[in-house]
Amino acid sequence: MIYLFIMFLWLGFVGALNDSSILLGIVITYLVVKISEFFLKSEIYGFVELFISAIGRILVMYKMTFRSLKFLFKKSYCGLVPINVENKTDAEKAAIANCITLTPGTMFILEENKHLIIHKFAETPDAAHSSDDVWKGELF
């Protein structure tokens, strides 16, 4: 695996894909691996495995992003919902706003006249303008 990784690095740095660059890349890859084994023992293998694992996780992230695109194009409605935060301190308002923003389909926009204005997505227009499932109860 490490041989392929270093070979692809070599071909990327050289920028040419001809016979001489491939043969020179094979020789350099072999030399780099053997010199690294002599000086670094097994540490280089851990780095390469970690790097390849990180690339795999990034690819999974992009795959999940493309899977969720259908929700973006699905018909949905949005509305603004006021939440009463009368008699709350600034820290309590910030905590409530953050909790609401972490709820899927809702996002805190601004504070106005003792109310937090929440932007909400829903499947029906009535549900988009309803504050029933945005915030219930007391946090503090």
Side-chain angles (χ1 to χ4, degrees), residues 54-129:
I55 289 175
R57 290 180 186 181
I58 290 171
L59 291 176
V60 168
M61 178 186 69
Y62 280 113
K63 185 171 112 178
M64 294 304 291
T65 301
F66 287 119
R67 275 190 191 167
S68 64
L69 282 178
K70 66 179 177 182
F71 298 115
L72 182 65
F73 297 111
K74 194 168 100 174
K75 185 159 184 141
S76 62
Y77 298 92
C78 61
L80 297 177
V81 178
I83 302 295
N84 188 7
V85 287
E86 195 173 344
N87 301 323
K88 301 287 184 195
T89 65
D90 288 340
E92 291 172 337
K93 291 176 189 176
I96 292 169
N98 286 333
C99 289
I100 289 173
T101 300
L102 289 173
T103 305
T106 60
M107 183 174 68
F108 166 72
I109 296 181
L110 64 102
E111 178 187 358
E112 186 176 85
N113 297 333
K114 300 179 185 175
H115 287 82
L116 297 178
I117 306 299
I118 308 299
H119 185 261
K120 179 180 171 188
F121 288 102
E123 294 180 0
T124 63
D126 295 331
H129 295 285

Coordinates of all heavy atoms in Angstrom, one line a residue, residues 54-129:
A54 N -8.1 8.9 6.7 CA -8.7 10.2 6.7 C -9.4 10.5 5.3 O -10.5 11.1 5.2 CB -7.7 11.3 7.0
I55 N -8.7 10.1 4.2 CA -9.3 10.2 2.9 C -10.6 9.4 2.8 O -11.6 9.9 2.2 CB -8.3 9.8 1.8 CG1 -7.1 10.9 1.8 CG2 -8.9 9.7 0.5 CD1 -6.0 10.5 0.8
G56 N -10.6 8.2 3.3 CA -11.8 7.4 3.3 C -13.0 8.1 4.0 O -14.1 8.1 3.6
R57 N -12.7 8.7 5.2 CA -13.7 9.4 5.9 C -14.2 10.6 5.2 O -15.4 11.0 5.2 CB -13.2 9.8 7.3 CG -13.0 8.7 8.2 CD -12.4 9.0 9.5 NE -12.1 7.8 10.3 CZ -11.7 7.9 11.5 NH1 -11.5 9.0 12.1 NH2 -11.4 6.7 12.1
I58 N -13.4 11.3 4.5 CA -13.8 12.5 3.7 C -14.7 12.0 2.5 O -15.7 12.7 2.2 CB -12.6 13.3 3.1 CG1 -11.9 14.0 4.3 CG2 -13.0 14.3 2.1 CD1 -10.5 14.6 4.0
L59 N -14.4 10.9 1.9 CA -15.2 10.4 0.8 C -16.6 10.0 1.4 O -17.6 10.2 0.7 CB -14.5 9.2 0.2 CG -13.3 9.6 -0.7 CD1 -12.6 8.3 -1.2 CD2 -13.6 10.5 -1.8
V60 N -16.6 9.4 2.5 CA -17.9 9.1 3.1 C -18.7 10.3 3.4 O -20.0 10.4 3.2 CB -17.7 8.2 4.5 CG1 -19.0 8.1 5.2 CG2 -17.2 6.9 4.1
M61 N -18.1 11.4 3.9 CA -18.8 12.6 4.1 C -19.4 13.2 2.8 O -20.6 13.6 2.8 CB -17.8 13.7 4.7 CG -18.4 15.0 4.9 SD -17.2 16.3 5.4 CE -16.3 16.5 3.9
Y62 N -18.7 13.1 1.7 CA -19.2 13.6 0.4 C -20.3 12.7 0.0 O -21.3 13.2 -0.6 CB -18.1 13.7 -0.6 CG -17.3 15.0 -0.5 CD1 -16.0 14.9 -0.1 CD2 -17.9 16.2 -0.7 CE1 -15.2 16.1 0.0 CE2 -17.1 17.4 -0.6 CZ -15.8 17.3 -0.2 OH -15.1 18.4 -0.1
K63 N -20.2 11.4 0.2 CA -21.3 10.5 -0.2 C -22.6 10.8 0.6 O -23.7 10.9 0.0 CB -20.8 9.1 0.1 CG -21.8 8.0 -0.4 CD -21.2 6.6 -0.2 CE -21.9 5.9 0.8 NZ -21.4 4.5 1.0
M64 N -22.5 11.1 1.9 CA -23.7 11.4 2.7 C -24.2 12.8 2.2 O -25.4 13.0 2.2 CB -23.3 11.5 4.1 CG -22.9 10.1 4.7 SD -24.2 8.9 4.5 CE -25.5 9.5 5.5
T65 N -23.4 13.7 1.8 CA -23.9 15.0 1.3 C -24.7 14.8 0.0 O -25.8 15.4 -0.1 CB -22.7 15.9 1.0 OG1 -21.9 16.1 2.2 CG2 -23.1 17.3 0.5
F66 N -24.2 14.0 -0.9 CA -25.0 13.7 -2.1 C -26.3 13.0 -1.8 O -27.3 13.2 -2.5 CB -24.1 13.0 -3.1 CG -23.1 13.9 -3.8 CD1 -21.8 13.6 -3.6 CD2 -23.5 15.1 -4.4 CE1 -20.8 14.4 -4.2 CE2 -22.5 15.9 -5.0 CZ -21.2 15.6 -4.9
R67 N -26.3 12.1 -0.8 CA -27.5 11.4 -0.4 C -28.6 12.4 0.1 O -29.8 12.2 -0.1 CB -27.2 10.4 0.6 CG -26.8 9.1 0.1 CD -26.8 8.0 1.2 NE -26.2 6.8 0.7 CZ -25.8 5.9 1.5 NH1 -26.0 6.0 2.8 NH2 -25.2 4.8 1.1
S68 N -28.1 13.4 0.8 CA -29.0 14.4 1.4 C -29.5 15.4 0.5 O -30.4 16.3 0.8 CB -28.4 15.0 2.7 OG -27.3 15.8 2.3
L69 N -29.0 15.5 -0.8 CA -29.5 16.5 -1.7 C -31.0 16.3 -2.0 O -31.6 17.3 -2.4 CB -28.7 16.4 -3.0 CG -27.3 17.0 -3.0 CD1 -26.6 16.8 -4.3 CD2 -27.4 18.5 -2.6
K70 N -31.5 15.1 -1.9 CA -32.9 14.9 -2.2 C -33.8 15.7 -1.3 O -34.9 16.2 -1.6 CB -33.3 13.5 -2.2 CG -33.2 12.8 -0.9 CD -33.6 11.3 -0.9 CE -33.4 10.7 0.4 NZ -33.8 9.3 0.4
F71 N -33.3 15.9 0.0 CA -34.1 16.7 0.9 C -34.1 18.2 0.6 O -35.0 18.9 0.9 CB -33.6 16.5 2.3 CG -33.7 15.1 2.8 CD1 -32.6 14.4 3.1 CD2 -34.9 14.5 3.0 CE1 -32.7 13.1 3.5 CE2 -35.0 13.2 3.5 CZ -33.9 12.5 3.7
L72 N -33.1 18.6 -0.1 CA -33.0 20.0 -0.5 C -34.0 20.3 -1.6 O -34.6 21.4 -1.7 CB -31.6 20.3 -1.0 CG -31.3 21.7 -1.5 CD1 -31.4 22.7 -0.3 CD2 -29.9 21.8 -2.1
F73 N -34.2 19.4 -2.5 CA -35.1 19.6 -3.6 C -36.5 19.1 -3.4 O -37.4 19.4 -4.2 CB -34.6 18.9 -4.9 CG -33.3 19.4 -5.3 CD1 -32.1 18.7 -5.2 CD2 -33.2 20.7 -5.8 CE1 -30.9 19.2 -5.6 CE2 -32.0 21.3 -6.2 CZ -30.8 20.5 -6.1
K74 N -36.8 18.5 -2.2 CA -38.1 18.0 -1.9 C -38.9 19.2 -1.5 O -38.4 20.2 -0.9 CB -38.0 17.1 -0.7 CG -39.2 16.3 -0.4 CD -38.9 15.2 0.6 CE -39.3 15.6 1.9 NZ -39.2 14.5 2.9
K75 N -40.2 19.2 -1.8 CA -41.1 20.4 -1.5 C -41.2 20.5 0.0 O -41.6 19.6 0.7 CB -42.4 20.2 -2.1 CG -43.3 21.4 -1.9 CD -44.4 21.4 -2.9 CE -45.2 22.6 -2.7 NZ -45.6 23.2 -3.9
S76 N -40.8 21.7 0.5 CA -41.0 22.0 1.9 C -41.3 23.5 2.0 O -41.2 24.3 1.1 CB -39.7 21.7 2.7 OG -38.6 22.5 2.2
Y77 N -41.8 23.9 3.2 CA -42.2 25.3 3.4 C -41.4 25.8 4.6 O -40.9 25.1 5.4 CB -43.7 25.3 3.8 CG -44.6 24.8 2.7 CD1 -45.0 23.5 2.6 CD2 -45.1 25.7 1.7 CE1 -45.8 23.0 1.6 CE2 -45.9 25.2 0.7 CZ -46.2 23.9 0.6 OH -47.0 23.5 -0.4
C78 N -41.2 27.1 4.6 CA -40.5 27.7 5.7 C -41.3 28.9 6.3 O -42.1 29.5 5.6 CB -39.1 28.2 5.2 SG -39.2 29.5 3.9
G79 N -41.1 29.1 7.5 CA -41.8 30.2 8.2 C -41.0 30.7 9.4 O -40.0 30.1 9.8
L80 N -41.4 31.9 9.8 CA -40.7 32.5 11.0 C -41.6 32.4 12.2 O -42.8 32.7 12.1 CB -40.5 34.0 10.7 CG -39.5 34.3 9.5 CD1 -39.4 35.8 9.3 CD2 -38.2 33.7 9.8
V81 N -41.1 31.9 13.3 CA -41.8 31.6 14.5 C -41.2 32.4 15.6 O -40.0 32.3 15.9 CB -41.8 30.1 14.8 CG1 -42.5 29.8 16.1 CG2 -42.3 29.3 13.6
P82 N -42.0 33.2 16.4 CA -41.5 33.9 17.6 C -41.6 33.0 18.8 O -42.6 32.3 19.0 CB -42.4 35.1 17.7 CG -43.7 34.7 17.1 CD -43.4 33.6 16.0
I83 N -40.5 33.0 19.6 CA -40.5 32.3 20.9 C -40.3 33.3 22.0 O -39.4 34.1 22.0 CB -39.3 31.3 20.9 CG1 -39.5 30.3 19.8 CG2 -39.3 30.6 22.2 CD1 -40.6 29.4 19.8
N84 N -41.2 33.3 23.0 CA -41.2 34.3 24.1 C -40.1 33.9 25.0 O -40.0 32.8 25.6 CB -42.5 34.3 24.8 CG -42.6 35.4 25.8 OD1 -41.7 36.2 25.9 ND2 -43.7 35.4 26.6
V85 N -39.2 34.9 25.3 CA -38.1 34.7 26.2 C -38.0 35.8 27.2 O -37.0 36.3 27.7 CB -36.7 34.6 25.5 CG1 -36.6 33.3 24.7 CG2 -36.5 35.8 24.5
E86 N -39.2 36.2 27.6 CA -39.3 37.3 28.6 C -38.8 36.8 30.0 O -38.9 35.6 30.3 CB -40.8 37.6 28.8 CG -41.1 38.8 29.5 CD -42.6 39.1 29.5 OE1 -43.3 38.5 28.6 OE2 -43.0 40.0 30.3
N87 N -38.1 37.7 30.7 CA -37.5 37.4 32.0 C -36.3 36.4 31.9 O -36.1 35.6 32.9 CB -38.5 36.9 33.0 CG -39.6 37.9 33.2 OD1 -39.4 39.1 33.2 ND2 -40.8 37.4 33.4
K88 N -35.7 36.3 30.8 CA -34.5 35.4 30.7 C -33.2 36.3 30.6 O -33.2 37.4 30.0 CB -34.6 34.6 29.4 CG -35.8 33.7 29.3 CD -35.7 32.5 30.2 CE -36.9 31.6 29.9 NZ -37.0 30.7 31.0
T89 N -32.2 35.8 31.1 CA -30.9 36.5 31.1 C -30.3 36.3 29.7 O -30.8 35.4 28.9 CB -29.9 36.0 32.1 OG1 -29.6 34.6 31.8 CG2 -30.4 36.1 33.5
D90 N -29.2 37.0 29.4 CA -28.6 36.9 28.1 C -28.0 35.5 27.9 O -28.1 34.9 26.8 CB -27.5 37.9 27.9 CG -28.1 39.3 27.7 OD1 -29.3 39.4 27.3 OD2 -27.3 40.3 27.9
A91 N -27.5 34.9 28.9 CA -26.9 33.6 28.8 C -28.0 32.5 28.6 O -27.8 31.6 27.8 CB -26.1 33.2 30.1
E92 N -29.1 32.7 29.2 CA -30.2 31.8 29.0 C -30.8 31.9 27.6 O -31.1 30.9 26.9 CB -31.4 32.0 30.0 CG -31.0 31.7 31.4 CD -32.0 32.1 32.4 OE1 -32.8 33.1 32.2 OE2 -32.1 31.5 33.5
K93 N -30.9 33.1 27.1 CA -31.3 33.3 25.7 C -30.4 32.7 24.7 O -30.8 32.0 23.7 CB -31.5 34.8 25.4 CG -32.6 35.5 26.1 CD -32.6 37.0 25.8 CE -33.6 37.7 26.7 NZ -33.5 39.2 26.5
A94 N -29.1 32.8 25.0 CA -28.1 32.2 24.1 C -28.2 30.7 24.1 O -28.1 30.0 23.1 CB -26.7 32.7 24.5
A95 N -28.4 30.1 25.3 CA -28.5 28.7 25.4 C -29.7 28.2 24.7 O -29.7 27.1 24.0 CB -28.5 28.3 26.9
I96 N -30.9 28.9 24.8 CA -32.1 28.5 24.2 C -31.9 28.6 22.7 O -32.3 27.7 21.9 CB -33.3 29.3 24.7 CG1 -33.6 29.0 26.1 CG2 -34.5 29.1 23.8 CD1 -34.6 30.0 26.8
A97 N -31.3 29.7 22.2 CA -31.1 29.9 20.7 C -30.2 28.8 20.2 O -30.5 28.2 19.1 CB -30.5 31.2 20.5
N98 N -29.2 28.4 20.9 CA -28.3 27.3 20.4 C -29.0 26.0 20.4 O -28.8 25.2 19.5 CB -27.0 27.2 21.3 CG -26.1 28.3 21.0 OD1 -26.1 28.9 19.9 ND2 -25.3 28.7 22.0
C99 N -29.8 25.7 21.4 CA -30.6 24.4 21.5 C -31.6 24.4 20.3 O -31.7 23.3 19.7 CB -31.3 24.3 22.8 SG -30.3 23.9 24.2
I100 N -32.2 25.5 20.0 CA -33.1 25.5 18.9 C -32.4 25.3 17.6 O -32.9 24.6 16.7 CB -34.0 26.8 18.9 CG1 -34.9 26.8 20.1 CG2 -34.7 27.0 17.6 CD1 -35.7 28.1 20.3
T101 N -31.3 25.9 17.4 CA -30.5 25.8 16.2 C -30.0 24.4 16.0 O -29.9 23.9 14.8 CB -29.3 26.8 16.2 OG1 -29.8 28.1 16.3 CG2 -28.5 26.7 14.9
L102 N -29.7 23.7 17.0 CA -29.3 22.3 16.9 C -30.4 21.3 16.6 O -30.2 20.2 16.1 CB -28.7 21.8 18.2 CG -27.3 22.4 18.5 CD1 -26.9 22.0 19.9 CD2 -26.3 22.0 17.5
T103 N -31.7 21.8 16.7 CA -32.8 21.0 16.3 C -32.9 21.0 14.8 O -32.9 22.0 14.2 CB -34.1 21.5 16.9 OG1 -34.0 21.6 18.3 CG2 -35.3 20.7 16.6
P104 N -33.0 19.8 14.2 CA -33.1 19.7 12.7 C -34.3 20.5 12.2 O -35.4 20.4 12.7 CB -33.2 18.2 12.4 CG -32.7 17.6 13.6 CD -33.0 18.5 14.8
G105 N -34.1 21.3 11.2 CA -35.2 22.1 10.5 C -35.5 23.4 11.1 O -36.4 24.1 10.7
T106 N -34.7 23.8 12.1 CA -34.9 25.1 12.8 C -33.6 25.9 12.9 O -32.5 25.2 12.9 CB -35.5 25.0 14.2 OG1 -34.6 24.2 15.0 CG2 -36.9 24.3 14.2
M107 N -33.7 27.2 12.9 CA -32.5 28.0 13.0 C -32.8 29.3 13.7 O -33.8 30.0 13.3 CB -31.9 28.2 11.6 CG -30.6 29.0 11.7 SD -29.8 29.2 10.1 CE -30.9 30.2 9.3
F108 N -32.1 29.7 14.7 CA -32.3 31.0 15.3 C -31.8 32.1 14.4 O -30.7 32.0 13.8 CB -31.5 31.1 16.6 CG -31.3 32.4 17.2 CD1 -32.4 33.1 17.8 CD2 -30.1 33.1 17.1 CE1 -32.3 34.3 18.3 CE2 -30.0 34.4 17.7 CZ -31.1 35.0 18.2
I109 N -32.6 33.2 14.3 CA -32.3 34.3 13.4 C -31.9 35.5 14.2 O -30.8 36.1 14.1 CB -33.4 34.6 12.4 CG1 -33.6 33.4 11.5 CG2 -33.1 35.9 11.6 CD1 -34.7 33.6 10.5
L110 N -32.8 36.1 15.0 CA -32.5 37.3 15.8 C -33.4 37.4 17.0 O -34.4 36.6 17.2 CB -32.7 38.5 14.9 CG -34.1 38.8 14.4 CD1 -34.7 39.9 15.2 CD2 -34.0 39.3 12.9
E111 N -33.1 38.3 17.9 CA -33.9 38.6 19.1 C -34.5 39.9 18.9 O -33.9 40.9 18.5 CB -33.0 38.6 20.3 CG -33.8 39.0 21.6 CD -32.9 39.2 22.8 OE1 -31.6 39.0 22.7 OE2 -33.4 39.5 23.8
E112 N -35.8 40.0 19.1 CA -36.6 41.2 18.9 C -37.8 41.3 19.8 O -38.6 40.4 19.9 CB -37.1 41.2 17.4 CG -37.7 42.5 17.0 CD -38.1 42.4 15.5 OE1 -39.2 41.9 15.2 OE2 -37.3 42.9 14.7
N113 N -37.8 42.4 20.6 CA -39.0 42.6 21.5 C -39.3 41.4 22.4 O -40.4 40.9 22.4 CB -40.2 43.0 20.7 CG -40.0 44.3 20.0 OD1 -39.2 45.2 20.4 ND2 -40.7 44.5 18.9
K114 N -38.3 41.0 23.1 CA -38.4 39.9 24.1 C -38.9 38.6 23.4 O -39.5 37.7 24.0 CB -39.4 40.2 25.2 CG -39.0 41.4 26.0 CD -40.0 41.8 27.1 CE -39.6 43.0 27.8 NZ -40.6 43.5 28.7
H115 N -38.6 38.4 22.1 CA -38.9 37.2 21.4 C -37.6 36.8 20.6 O -36.9 37.6 20.1 CB -40.0 37.4 20.4 CG -41.4 37.5 21.1 ND1 -41.8 38.6 21.7 CD2 -42.3 36.5 21.3 CE1 -43.0 38.4 22.2 NE2 -43.3 37.1 22.0
L116 N -37.4 35.5 20.5 CA -36.4 34.9 19.6 C -37.1 34.6 18.3 O -38.1 33.9 18.3 CB -35.7 33.7 20.2 CG -34.9 33.8 21.5 CD1 -34.4 32.5 21.9 CD2 -33.8 34.8 21.3
I117 N -36.7 35.1 17.2 CA -37.3 34.7 15.9 C -36.6 33.5 15.3 O -35.3 33.5 15.2 CB -37.2 35.9 14.9 CG1 -37.7 37.2 15.6 CG2 -37.9 35.6 13.6 CD1 -39.2 37.1 16.0
I118 N -37.3 32.5 15.0 CA -36.8 31.2 14.6 C -37.3 31.0 13.2 O -38.4 31.2 12.8 CB -37.3 30.1 15.5 CG1 -37.1 30.4 17.0 CG2 -36.7 28.7 15.1 CD1 -35.6 30.5 17.3
H119 N -36.3 30.5 12.3 CA -36.6 30.1 10.9 C -36.9 28.6 11.0 O -36.0 27.9 11.5 CB -35.5 30.5 10.0 CG -35.8 30.3 8.6 ND1 -35.3 29.1 7.9 CD2 -36.5 31.0 7.7 CE1 -35.7 29.2 6.7 NE2 -36.4 30.3 6.5
K120 N -38.0 28.2 10.4 CA -38.4 26.8 10.5 C -38.8 26.2 9.2 O -39.5 26.8 8.4 CB -39.5 26.7 11.5 CG -40.0 25.3 11.8 CD -41.2 25.3 12.8 CE -41.8 24.0 12.8 NZ -43.0 24.0 13.6
F121 N -38.3 25.0 8.9 CA -38.8 24.2 7.7 C -39.8 23.2 8.1 O -39.6 22.5 9.2 CB -37.6 23.5 7.1 CG -36.6 24.4 6.3 CD1 -35.4 24.8 6.9 CD2 -37.0 24.9 5.1 CE1 -34.6 25.7 6.3 CE2 -36.1 25.8 4.5 CZ -34.9 26.2 5.0
A122 N -40.8 23.0 7.3 CA -41.8 21.9 7.6 C -42.4 21.5 6.2 O -42.1 22.0 5.2 CB -42.8 22.4 8.5
E123 N -43.2 20.4 6.3 CA -43.8 19.8 5.1 C -45.1 20.5 4.7 O -45.5 20.4 3.6 CB -44.0 18.3 5.3 CG -42.7 17.5 5.4 CD -43.0 16.1 5.6 OE1 -44.1 15.6 5.6 OE2 -42.0 15.3 5.7
T124 N -45.7 21.2 5.6 CA -46.9 21.9 5.3 C -46.8 23.4 5.8 O -46.0 23.7 6.7 CB -48.2 21.3 6.1 OG1 -48.0 21.5 7.5 CG2 -48.3 19.8 5.7
P125 N -47.5 24.3 5.1 CA -47.4 25.7 5.5 C -47.9 26.0 7.0 O -47.3 26.8 7.7 CB -48.4 26.4 4.5 CG -48.6 25.5 3.4 CD -48.4 24.1 4.0
D126 N -48.9 25.2 7.4 CA -49.4 25.4 8.8 C -48.3 25.0 9.8 O -48.1 25.7 10.8 CB -50.7 24.7 9.0 CG -51.8 25.2 8.2 OD1 -51.8 26.4 7.9 OD2 -52.7 24.4 7.9
A127 N -47.6 23.9 9.5 CA -46.6 23.4 10.4 C -45.4 24.4 10.4 O -44.7 24.5 11.4 CB -46.2 22.0 10.1
A128 N -45.1 25.0 9.3 CA -44.0 25.9 9.2 C -44.2 27.1 10.0 O -43.2 27.7 10.5 CB -43.7 26.3 7.7
H129 N -45.4 27.6 10.3 CA -45.6 28.8 11.0 C -46.1 28.5 12.5 O -46.5 29.4 13.2 CB -46.7 29.6 10.3 CG -46.2 30.2 9.0 ND1 -45.3 31.2 9.0 CD2 -46.5 29.8 7.8 CE1 -45.0 31.5 7.7 NE2 -45.7 30.6 7.0

